[in-house]
Amino acid sequence: MIDGGLISDGTLQTGPNGNAAAFGPMPVAPSKLSSIAKPSAPFEILLRRASVYGLLNHLRASGVVIDRVRELNPMPENALVPFQEWQDDCADALAQVFISTISVVDLEAIVIDGLLPGDLLSQTVDLVRTRFKAMMPKGLVAPEIIACAIGPHASALGAAILPIYQLFAPDGAVLTKKTVEKKPLMIKLLG
């Protein structure tokens, strides 16, 4: 699973349909890994390229049999090359998504966390920064890309806080006496 949260002015933004920062289905270029089936559409989704599930499948397709990502600490000798292949593919896909995201939402920082052992996560985030910098188009201001340290509990903590947040977080519209009005995002294509 790959997902996210969008924080603006210290507040979690979920959007009118709860889709804000739903990175898993974001379109990216197809993977170059042989373990990932070619997509039927002209693009792939991030979930297939940047998830632990994809990593485990790639390792298994390369003859490395592990059941949990924590078994990569320490790194089995036969896992290093396929892990690096996946890591390159993952970093490439994440950089694409981050550029798409900052083209729409001006972000101060992007924080990456997950199930990977700490040193492997740090290496992956460094690679994402490198790919992001190489792909960054002129005219955009790059956010800071940070490795987080919550680790395996990040998904559970994020999921656990959502119901609490929905029940107890103040409604900014009520506090500022603004009326909440749905406004569509307007995009004009020039051509």
Side-chain angles (χ1 to χ4, degrees), residues 30-77:
S31 174
K32 294 176 182 143
L33 297 178
S34 61
S35 62
I36 298 179
K38 299 300 175 212
S40 56
F43 60 87
E44 183 59 81
I45 61 170
L46 181 65
L47 179 63
R48 291 175 46 97
R49 288 191 59 192
S51 68
V52 169
Y53 178 77
L55 168 59
L56 292 175
N57 279 343
H58 186 64
L59 290 170
R60 287 183 191 119
S62 302
V64 180
V65 182
I66 63 170
D67 295 316
R68 305 256 188 267
V69 173
R70 66 177 170 242
E71 294 174 45
L72 294 175
N73 188 17
M75 178 70 70
E77 190 174 312

mmCIF file of all heavy atoms in Angstrom, residues 30-77:
data_model
loop_
_atom_site.group_PDB
_atom_site.id
_atom_site.type_symbol
_atom_site.label_atom_id
_atom_site.label_comp_id
_atom_site.label_asym_id
_atom_site.label_seq_id
_atom_site.Cartn_x
_atom_site.Cartn_y
_atom_site.Cartn_z
ATOM 1 N N PRO A 30 5.420 3.398 -17.253
ATOM 2 C CA PRO A 30 5.514 1.961 -16.954
ATOM 3 C C PRO A 30 6.869 1.576 -16.369
ATOM 4 O O PRO A 30 7.896 2.176 -16.667
ATOM 5 C CB PRO A 30 5.303 1.296 -18.318
ATOM 6 C CG PRO A 30 4.537 2.297 -19.109
ATOM 7 C CD PRO A 30 5.053 3.642 -18.647
ATOM 8 N N SER A 31 6.856 0.560 -15.535
ATOM 9 C CA SER A 31 8.063 0.044 -14.898
ATOM 10 C C SER A 31 8.964 -0.647 -15.912
ATOM 11 O O SER A 31 8.492 -1.197 -16.905
ATOM 12 C CB SER A 31 7.672 -0.960 -13.810
ATOM 13 O OG SER A 31 8.812 -1.561 -13.274
ATOM 14 N N LYS A 32 10.241 -0.638 -15.630
ATOM 15 C CA LYS A 32 11.205 -1.366 -16.457
ATOM 16 C C LYS A 32 11.520 -2.739 -15.855
ATOM 17 O O LYS A 32 12.256 -3.515 -16.439
ATOM 18 C CB LYS A 32 12.480 -0.548 -16.606
ATOM 19 C CG LYS A 32 12.253 0.738 -17.384
ATOM 20 C CD LYS A 32 13.505 1.585 -17.453
ATOM 21 C CE LYS A 32 13.167 2.867 -18.198
ATOM 22 N NZ LYS A 32 13.819 4.018 -17.682
ATOM 23 N N LEU A 33 10.955 -3.025 -14.674
ATOM 24 C CA LEU A 33 11.217 -4.306 -14.023
ATOM 25 C C LEU A 33 10.456 -5.431 -14.728
ATOM 26 O O LEU A 33 9.282 -5.289 -15.049
ATOM 27 C CB LEU A 33 10.800 -4.268 -12.551
ATOM 28 C CG LEU A 33 11.533 -3.286 -11.649
ATOM 29 C CD1 LEU A 33 10.963 -3.342 -10.244
ATOM 30 C CD2 LEU A 33 13.024 -3.575 -11.636
ATOM 31 N N SER A 34 11.134 -6.543 -14.910
ATOM 32 C CA SER A 34 10.497 -7.696 -15.561
ATOM 33 C C SER A 34 9.450 -8.350 -14.666
ATOM 34 O O SER A 34 8.570 -9.056 -15.147
ATOM 35 C CB SER A 34 11.557 -8.729 -15.957
ATOM 36 O OG SER A 34 12.239 -9.186 -14.790
ATOM 37 N N SER A 35 9.497 -8.106 -13.371
ATOM 38 C CA SER A 35 8.551 -8.713 -12.432
ATOM 39 C C SER A 35 7.198 -8.015 -12.421
ATOM 40 O O SER A 35 6.244 -8.514 -11.841
ATOM 41 C CB SER A 35 9.134 -8.697 -11.023
ATOM 42 O OG SER A 35 9.346 -7.358 -10.601
ATOM 43 N N ILE A 36 7.099 -6.860 -13.052
ATOM 44 C CA ILE A 36 5.842 -6.122 -13.097
ATOM 45 C C ILE A 36 5.252 -6.251 -14.490
ATOM 46 O O ILE A 36 5.875 -5.863 -15.477
ATOM 47 C CB ILE A 36 6.049 -4.637 -12.724
ATOM 48 C CG1 ILE A 36 6.565 -4.525 -11.287
ATOM 49 C CG2 ILE A 36 4.757 -3.848 -12.903
ATOM 50 C CD1 ILE A 36 6.832 -3.120 -10.828
ATOM 51 N N ALA A 37 4.048 -6.815 -14.555
ATOM 52 C CA ALA A 37 3.374 -6.992 -15.848
ATOM 53 C C ALA A 37 3.157 -5.629 -16.496
ATOM 54 O O ALA A 37 2.904 -4.630 -15.817
ATOM 55 C CB ALA A 37 2.044 -7.704 -15.644
ATOM 56 N N LYS A 38 3.254 -5.606 -17.792
ATOM 57 C CA LYS A 38 3.047 -4.359 -18.530
ATOM 58 C C LYS A 38 1.594 -3.923 -18.377
ATOM 59 O O LYS A 38 0.676 -4.732 -18.446
ATOM 60 C CB LYS A 38 3.395 -4.536 -20.014
ATOM 61 C CG LYS A 38 4.852 -4.921 -20.248
ATOM 62 C CD LYS A 38 5.791 -3.872 -19.709
ATOM 63 C CE LYS A 38 7.238 -4.293 -19.827
ATOM 64 N NZ LYS A 38 8.069 -3.790 -18.774
ATOM 65 N N PRO A 39 1.363 -2.637 -18.162
ATOM 66 C CA PRO A 39 -0.011 -2.159 -17.967
ATOM 67 C C PRO A 39 -0.806 -2.190 -19.275
ATOM 68 O O PRO A 39 -0.232 -2.132 -20.360
ATOM 69 C CB PRO A 39 0.190 -0.721 -17.492
ATOM 70 C CG PRO A 39 1.513 -0.315 -18.044
ATOM 71 C CD PRO A 39 2.345 -1.568 -18.077
ATOM 72 N N SER A 40 -2.111 -2.283 -19.142
ATOM 73 C CA SER A 40 -2.964 -2.260 -20.333
ATOM 74 C C SER A 40 -3.179 -0.828 -20.814
ATOM 75 O O SER A 40 -3.525 -0.604 -21.965
ATOM 76 C CB SER A 40 -4.310 -2.921 -20.032
ATOM 77 O OG SER A 40 -4.925 -2.283 -18.928
ATOM 78 N N ALA A 41 -2.975 0.135 -19.945
ATOM 79 C CA ALA A 41 -3.093 1.550 -20.298
ATOM 80 C C ALA A 41 -1.703 2.077 -20.670
ATOM 81 O O ALA A 41 -0.704 1.397 -20.451
ATOM 82 C CB ALA A 41 -3.649 2.322 -19.101
ATOM 83 N N PRO A 42 -1.629 3.285 -21.194
ATOM 84 C CA PRO A 42 -0.313 3.837 -21.539
ATOM 85 C C PRO A 42 0.518 4.221 -20.318
ATOM 86 O O PRO A 42 1.667 4.608 -20.444
ATOM 87 C CB PRO A 42 -0.645 5.066 -22.385
ATOM 88 C CG PRO A 42 -2.070 5.364 -22.149
ATOM 89 C CD PRO A 42 -2.720 4.132 -21.638
ATOM 90 N N PHE A 43 -0.064 4.122 -19.141
ATOM 91 C CA PHE A 43 0.659 4.455 -17.923
ATOM 92 C C PHE A 43 0.448 3.355 -16.891
ATOM 93 O O PHE A 43 -0.401 2.493 -17.027
ATOM 94 C CB PHE A 43 0.187 5.803 -17.353
ATOM 95 C CG PHE A 43 -1.279 5.824 -17.008
ATOM 96 C CD1 PHE A 43 -1.727 5.392 -15.773
ATOM 97 C CD2 PHE A 43 -2.211 6.263 -17.937
ATOM 98 C CE1 PHE A 43 -3.073 5.394 -15.460
ATOM 99 C CE2 PHE A 43 -3.566 6.271 -17.630
ATOM 100 C CZ PHE A 43 -4.002 5.831 -16.384
ATOM 101 N N GLU A 44 1.261 3.407 -15.847
ATOM 102 C CA GLU A 44 1.178 2.503 -14.704
ATOM 103 C C GLU A 44 0.655 3.320 -13.536
ATOM 104 O O GLU A 44 0.582 4.542 -13.622
ATOM 105 C CB GLU A 44 2.595 1.963 -14.403
ATOM 106 C CG GLU A 44 2.681 0.962 -13.294
ATOM 107 C CD GLU A 44 1.834 -0.263 -13.552
ATOM 108 O OE1 GLU A 44 2.292 -1.139 -14.285
ATOM 109 O OE2 GLU A 44 0.713 -0.323 -13.017
ATOM 110 N N ILE A 45 0.292 2.683 -12.443
ATOM 111 C CA ILE A 45 -0.052 3.434 -11.237
ATOM 112 C C ILE A 45 1.092 3.284 -10.234
ATOM 113 O O ILE A 45 1.794 2.273 -10.227
ATOM 114 C CB ILE A 45 -1.401 3.006 -10.626
ATOM 115 C CG1 ILE A 45 -1.391 1.544 -10.206
ATOM 116 C CG2 ILE A 45 -2.543 3.324 -11.579
ATOM 117 C CD1 ILE A 45 -2.606 1.120 -9.390
ATOM 118 N N LEU A 46 1.264 4.294 -9.416
ATOM 119 C CA LEU A 46 2.372 4.316 -8.463
ATOM 120 C C LEU A 46 2.368 3.094 -7.552
ATOM 121 O O LEU A 46 3.425 2.557 -7.239
ATOM 122 C CB LEU A 46 2.318 5.595 -7.624
ATOM 123 C CG LEU A 46 3.432 5.756 -6.594
ATOM 124 C CD1 LEU A 46 4.790 5.891 -7.283
ATOM 125 C CD2 LEU A 46 3.158 6.941 -5.699
ATOM 126 N N LEU A 47 1.205 2.655 -7.149
ATOM 127 C CA LEU A 47 1.095 1.516 -6.234
ATOM 128 C C LEU A 47 1.857 0.296 -6.733
ATOM 129 O O LEU A 47 2.465 -0.423 -5.957
ATOM 130 C CB LEU A 47 -0.385 1.162 -6.028
ATOM 131 C CG LEU A 47 -0.685 -0.014 -5.115
ATOM 132 C CD1 LEU A 47 -0.199 0.279 -3.706
ATOM 133 C CD2 LEU A 47 -2.169 -0.304 -5.110
ATOM 134 N N ARG A 48 1.857 0.059 -8.023
ATOM 135 C CA ARG A 48 2.541 -1.120 -8.567
ATOM 136 C C ARG A 48 4.050 -0.939 -8.638
ATOM 137 O O ARG A 48 4.781 -1.905 -8.746
ATOM 138 C CB ARG A 48 1.964 -1.458 -9.940
ATOM 139 C CG ARG A 48 0.532 -1.978 -9.839
ATOM 140 C CD ARG A 48 -0.103 -2.216 -11.183
ATOM 141 N NE ARG A 48 0.723 -2.912 -12.137
ATOM 142 C CZ ARG A 48 0.676 -4.221 -12.385
ATOM 143 N NH1 ARG A 48 -0.164 -4.972 -11.726
ATOM 144 N NH2 ARG A 48 1.443 -4.745 -13.301
ATOM 145 N N ARG A 49 4.520 0.304 -8.583
ATOM 146 C CA ARG A 49 5.959 0.549 -8.717
ATOM 147 C C ARG A 49 6.656 0.910 -7.419
ATOM 148 O O ARG A 49 7.872 0.760 -7.326
ATOM 149 C CB ARG A 49 6.195 1.679 -9.727
ATOM 150 C CG ARG A 49 5.912 1.235 -11.141
ATOM 151 C CD ARG A 49 6.377 2.222 -12.162
ATOM 152 N NE ARG A 49 7.806 2.485 -12.102
ATOM 153 C CZ ARG A 49 8.372 3.488 -12.749
ATOM 154 N NH1 ARG A 49 7.650 4.302 -13.479
ATOM 155 N NH2 ARG A 49 9.668 3.674 -12.667
ATOM 156 N N ALA A 50 5.931 1.420 -6.444
ATOM 157 C CA ALA A 50 6.607 1.944 -5.253
ATOM 158 C C ALA A 50 6.042 1.369 -3.961
ATOM 159 O O ALA A 50 5.991 2.048 -2.960
ATOM 160 C CB ALA A 50 6.486 3.465 -5.237
ATOM 161 N N SER A 51 5.648 0.118 -3.987
ATOM 162 C CA SER A 51 5.099 -0.487 -2.772
ATOM 163 C C SER A 51 5.980 -1.640 -2.305
ATOM 164 O O SER A 51 6.725 -2.231 -3.081
ATOM 165 C CB SER A 51 3.681 -1.005 -3.028
ATOM 166 O OG SER A 51 3.710 -2.102 -3.916
ATOM 167 N N VAL A 52 5.863 -1.963 -1.032
ATOM 168 C CA VAL A 52 6.587 -3.099 -0.461
ATOM 169 C C VAL A 52 6.114 -4.393 -1.133
ATOM 170 O O VAL A 52 6.913 -5.297 -1.361
ATOM 171 C CB VAL A 52 6.395 -3.135 1.072
ATOM 172 C CG1 VAL A 52 6.909 -4.425 1.664
ATOM 173 C CG2 VAL A 52 7.099 -1.944 1.693
ATOM 174 N N TYR A 53 4.843 -4.450 -1.470
ATOM 175 C CA TYR A 53 4.304 -5.613 -2.179
ATOM 176 C C TYR A 53 5.061 -5.824 -3.499
ATOM 177 O O TYR A 53 5.467 -6.931 -3.828
ATOM 178 C CB TYR A 53 2.809 -5.407 -2.425
ATOM 179 C CG TYR A 53 2.155 -6.520 -3.195
ATOM 180 C CD1 TYR A 53 1.835 -7.725 -2.570
ATOM 181 C CD2 TYR A 53 1.848 -6.376 -4.543
ATOM 182 C CE1 TYR A 53 1.238 -8.758 -3.275
ATOM 183 C CE2 TYR A 53 1.251 -7.394 -5.252
ATOM 184 C CZ TYR A 53 0.945 -8.580 -4.614
ATOM 185 O OH TYR A 53 0.357 -9.595 -5.322
ATOM 186 N N GLY A 54 5.276 -4.725 -4.236
ATOM 187 C CA GLY A 54 6.035 -4.807 -5.484
ATOM 188 C C GLY A 54 7.470 -5.235 -5.248
ATOM 189 O O GLY A 54 8.043 -6.007 -6.020
ATOM 190 N N LEU A 55 8.068 -4.727 -4.158
ATOM 191 C CA LEU A 55 9.429 -5.128 -3.803
ATOM 192 C C LEU A 55 9.494 -6.625 -3.525
ATOM 193 O O LEU A 55 10.362 -7.326 -4.060
ATOM 194 C CB LEU A 55 9.917 -4.344 -2.583
ATOM 195 C CG LEU A 55 11.213 -4.845 -1.917
ATOM 196 C CD1 LEU A 55 12.383 -4.830 -2.888
ATOM 197 C CD2 LEU A 55 11.512 -4.033 -0.670
ATOM 198 N N LEU A 56 8.590 -7.145 -2.706
ATOM 199 C CA LEU A 56 8.597 -8.576 -2.380
ATOM 200 C C LEU A 56 8.387 -9.425 -3.628
ATOM 201 O O LEU A 56 9.047 -10.453 -3.805
ATOM 202 C CB LEU A 56 7.544 -8.890 -1.316
ATOM 203 C CG LEU A 56 7.824 -8.323 0.075
ATOM 204 C CD1 LEU A 56 6.659 -8.592 1.017
ATOM 205 C CD2 LEU A 56 9.123 -8.853 0.650
ATOM 206 N N ASN A 57 7.499 -8.988 -4.513
ATOM 207 C CA ASN A 57 7.287 -9.730 -5.771
ATOM 208 C C ASN A 57 8.546 -9.732 -6.626
ATOM 209 O O ASN A 57 8.885 -10.749 -7.238
ATOM 210 C CB ASN A 57 6.120 -9.139 -6.560
ATOM 211 C CG ASN A 57 4.792 -9.607 -6.047
ATOM 212 O OD1 ASN A 57 4.689 -10.595 -5.322
ATOM 213 N ND2 ASN A 57 3.753 -8.895 -6.415
ATOM 214 N N HIS A 58 9.224 -8.589 -6.684
ATOM 215 C CA HIS A 58 10.448 -8.519 -7.491
ATOM 216 C C HIS A 58 11.543 -9.409 -6.894
ATOM 217 O O HIS A 58 12.258 -10.089 -7.631
ATOM 218 C CB HIS A 58 10.930 -7.079 -7.630
ATOM 219 C CG HIS A 58 12.089 -6.945 -8.567
ATOM 220 N ND1 HIS A 58 11.994 -7.244 -9.913
ATOM 221 C CD2 HIS A 58 13.378 -6.600 -8.354
ATOM 222 C CE1 HIS A 58 13.173 -7.069 -10.486
ATOM 223 N NE2 HIS A 58 14.033 -6.677 -9.560
ATOM 224 N N LEU A 59 11.652 -9.403 -5.583
ATOM 225 C CA LEU A 59 12.646 -10.269 -4.938
ATOM 226 C C LEU A 59 12.338 -11.738 -5.215
ATOM 227 O O LEU A 59 13.235 -12.514 -5.561
ATOM 228 C CB LEU A 59 12.695 -10.002 -3.430
ATOM 229 C CG LEU A 59 13.299 -8.660 -3.005
ATOM 230 C CD1 LEU A 59 13.066 -8.411 -1.523
ATOM 231 C CD2 LEU A 59 14.788 -8.599 -3.338
ATOM 232 N N ARG A 60 11.082 -12.123 -5.085
ATOM 233 C CA ARG A 60 10.693 -13.520 -5.346
ATOM 234 C C ARG A 60 10.955 -13.897 -6.800
ATOM 235 O O ARG A 60 11.439 -14.992 -7.092
ATOM 236 C CB ARG A 60 9.229 -13.735 -4.993
ATOM 237 C CG ARG A 60 8.992 -13.749 -3.499
ATOM 238 C CD ARG A 60 7.535 -14.038 -3.151
ATOM 239 N NE ARG A 60 7.311 -13.791 -1.745
ATOM 240 C CZ ARG A 60 6.460 -12.889 -1.261
ATOM 241 N NH1 ARG A 60 5.706 -12.177 -2.077
ATOM 242 N NH2 ARG A 60 6.338 -12.720 0.035
ATOM 243 N N ALA A 61 10.636 -12.990 -7.724
ATOM 244 C CA ALA A 61 10.876 -13.259 -9.151
ATOM 245 C C ALA A 61 12.371 -13.397 -9.439
ATOM 246 O O ALA A 61 12.756 -14.024 -10.422
ATOM 247 C CB ALA A 61 10.285 -12.135 -10.005
ATOM 248 N N SER A 62 13.199 -12.835 -8.571
ATOM 249 C CA SER A 62 14.651 -12.915 -8.722
ATOM 250 C C SER A 62 15.258 -14.047 -7.900
ATOM 251 O O SER A 62 16.477 -14.139 -7.767
ATOM 252 C CB SER A 62 15.282 -11.578 -8.310
ATOM 253 O OG SER A 62 14.761 -10.521 -9.079
ATOM 254 N N GLY A 63 14.406 -14.880 -7.312
ATOM 255 C CA GLY A 63 14.890 -16.031 -6.557
ATOM 256 C C GLY A 63 15.177 -15.779 -5.087
ATOM 257 O O GLY A 63 15.741 -16.624 -4.409
ATOM 258 N N VAL A 64 14.806 -14.617 -4.584
ATOM 259 C CA VAL A 64 15.016 -14.290 -3.171
ATOM 260 C C VAL A 64 13.684 -14.525 -2.453
ATOM 261 O O VAL A 64 12.714 -13.821 -2.692
ATOM 262 C CB VAL A 64 15.455 -12.822 -2.982
ATOM 263 C CG1 VAL A 64 15.656 -12.508 -1.506
ATOM 264 C CG2 VAL A 64 16.709 -12.527 -3.787
ATOM 265 N N VAL A 65 13.659 -15.512 -1.589
ATOM 266 C CA VAL A 65 12.420 -15.865 -0.901
ATOM 267 C C VAL A 65 12.444 -15.289 0.512
ATOM 268 O O VAL A 65 13.165 -15.778 1.381
ATOM 269 C CB VAL A 65 12.224 -17.400 -0.860
ATOM 270 C CG1 VAL A 65 10.912 -17.737 -0.183
ATOM 271 C CG2 VAL A 65 12.266 -17.970 -2.271
ATOM 272 N N ILE A 66 11.672 -14.225 0.693
ATOM 273 C CA ILE A 66 11.471 -13.656 2.026
ATOM 274 C C ILE A 66 9.985 -13.355 2.169
ATOM 275 O O ILE A 66 9.274 -13.181 1.181
ATOM 276 C CB ILE A 66 12.313 -12.387 2.283
ATOM 277 C CG1 ILE A 66 11.918 -11.254 1.335
ATOM 278 C CG2 ILE A 66 13.797 -12.680 2.209
ATOM 279 C CD1 ILE A 66 12.532 -9.923 1.700
ATOM 280 N N ASP A 67 9.520 -13.313 3.404
ATOM 281 C CA ASP A 67 8.112 -13.044 3.659
ATOM 282 C C ASP A 67 7.852 -11.633 4.154
ATOM 283 O O ASP A 67 6.754 -11.113 4.006
ATOM 284 C CB ASP A 67 7.565 -14.037 4.696
ATOM 285 C CG ASP A 67 7.574 -15.461 4.165
ATOM 286 O OD1 ASP A 67 7.185 -15.663 3.000
ATOM 287 O OD2 ASP A 67 7.985 -16.362 4.920
ATOM 288 N N ARG A 68 8.852 -11.024 4.753
ATOM 289 C CA ARG A 68 8.704 -9.689 5.342
ATOM 290 C C ARG A 68 9.906 -8.824 4.965
ATOM 291 O O ARG A 68 11.029 -9.311 4.855
ATOM 292 C CB ARG A 68 8.639 -9.769 6.863
ATOM 293 C CG ARG A 68 7.560 -10.677 7.392
ATOM 294 C CD ARG A 68 6.416 -9.838 7.918
ATOM 295 N NE ARG A 68 5.417 -10.633 8.608
ATOM 296 C CZ ARG A 68 4.346 -11.130 8.002
ATOM 297 N NH1 ARG A 68 4.150 -10.970 6.740
ATOM 298 N NH2 ARG A 68 3.455 -11.815 8.705
ATOM 299 N N VAL A 69 9.666 -7.554 4.812
ATOM 300 C CA VAL A 69 10.732 -6.617 4.448
ATOM 301 C C VAL A 69 11.803 -6.548 5.534
ATOM 302 O O VAL A 69 12.972 -6.348 5.234
ATOM 303 C CB VAL A 69 10.134 -5.226 4.171
ATOM 304 C CG1 VAL A 69 11.202 -4.189 3.968
ATOM 305 C CG2 VAL A 69 9.246 -5.283 2.956
ATOM 306 N N ARG A 70 11.415 -6.760 6.772
ATOM 307 C CA ARG A 70 12.417 -6.703 7.850
ATOM 308 C C ARG A 70 13.504 -7.758 7.676
ATOM 309 O O ARG A 70 14.575 -7.651 8.260
ATOM 310 C CB ARG A 70 11.750 -6.794 9.213
ATOM 311 C CG ARG A 70 11.094 -8.118 9.494
ATOM 312 C CD ARG A 70 10.510 -8.157 10.911
ATOM 313 N NE ARG A 70 9.696 -9.325 11.073
ATOM 314 C CZ ARG A 70 8.409 -9.317 11.342
ATOM 315 N NH1 ARG A 70 7.778 -8.171 11.488
ATOM 316 N NH2 ARG A 70 7.743 -10.429 11.481
ATOM 317 N N GLU A 71 13.249 -8.784 6.856
ATOM 318 C CA GLU A 71 14.256 -9.805 6.588
ATOM 319 C C GLU A 71 15.396 -9.265 5.710
ATOM 320 O O GLU A 71 16.379 -9.959 5.476
ATOM 321 C CB GLU A 71 13.604 -11.027 5.937
ATOM 322 C CG GLU A 71 12.633 -11.756 6.857
ATOM 323 C CD GLU A 71 11.882 -12.868 6.151
ATOM 324 O OE1 GLU A 71 12.517 -13.648 5.407
ATOM 325 O OE2 GLU A 71 10.656 -12.949 6.338
ATOM 326 N N LEU A 72 15.262 -8.036 5.249
ATOM 327 C CA LEU A 72 16.336 -7.392 4.490
ATOM 328 C C LEU A 72 17.367 -6.746 5.407
ATOM 329 O O LEU A 72 18.306 -6.109 4.946
ATOM 330 C CB LEU A 72 15.759 -6.346 3.538
ATOM 331 C CG LEU A 72 14.876 -6.890 2.413
ATOM 332 C CD1 LEU A 72 14.280 -5.746 1.617
ATOM 333 C CD2 LEU A 72 15.670 -7.820 1.514
ATOM 334 N N ASN A 73 17.177 -6.869 6.700
ATOM 335 C CA ASN A 73 18.131 -6.329 7.663
ATOM 336 C C ASN A 73 18.634 -7.454 8.557
ATOM 337 O O ASN A 73 17.920 -7.891 9.437
ATOM 338 C CB ASN A 73 17.467 -5.250 8.505
ATOM 339 C CG ASN A 73 18.449 -4.515 9.384
ATOM 340 O OD1 ASN A 73 19.649 -4.570 9.177
ATOM 341 N ND2 ASN A 73 17.920 -3.825 10.375
ATOM 342 N N PRO A 74 19.831 -7.949 8.312
ATOM 343 C CA PRO A 74 20.808 -7.526 7.307
ATOM 344 C C PRO A 74 20.416 -8.033 5.915
ATOM 345 O O PRO A 74 19.696 -9.015 5.779
ATOM 346 C CB PRO A 74 22.113 -8.169 7.777
ATOM 347 C CG PRO A 74 21.681 -9.407 8.489
ATOM 348 C CD PRO A 74 20.352 -9.069 9.129
ATOM 349 N N MET A 75 20.950 -7.349 4.904
ATOM 350 C CA MET A 75 20.627 -7.654 3.518
ATOM 351 C C MET A 75 21.218 -9.002 3.118
ATOM 352 O O MET A 75 22.437 -9.186 3.168
ATOM 353 C CB MET A 75 21.199 -6.560 2.604
ATOM 354 C CG MET A 75 20.964 -6.785 1.127
ATOM 355 S SD MET A 75 19.260 -6.595 0.581
ATOM 356 C CE MET A 75 19.023 -4.830 0.740
ATOM 357 N N PRO A 76 20.367 -9.972 2.715
ATOM 358 C CA PRO A 76 20.905 -11.230 2.185
ATOM 359 C C PRO A 76 21.715 -10.938 0.919
ATOM 360 O O PRO A 76 21.346 -10.068 0.120
ATOM 361 C CB PRO A 76 19.659 -12.056 1.856
ATOM 362 C CG PRO A 76 18.550 -11.427 2.629
ATOM 363 C CD PRO A 76 18.904 -9.982 2.768
ATOM 364 N N GLU A 77 22.803 -11.640 0.744
ATOM 365 C CA GLU A 77 23.701 -11.374 -0.380
ATOM 366 C C GLU A 77 22.978 -11.436 -1.726
ATOM 367 O O GLU A 77 23.196 -10.598 -2.594
ATOM 368 C CB GLU A 77 24.864 -12.380 -0.356
ATOM 369 C CG GLU A 77 25.968 -12.028 -1.329
ATOM 370 C CD GLU A 77 27.159 -12.958 -1.188
ATOM 371 O OE1 GLU A 77 27.609 -13.190 -0.045
ATOM 372 O OE2 GLU A 77 27.628 -13.434 -2.234
#
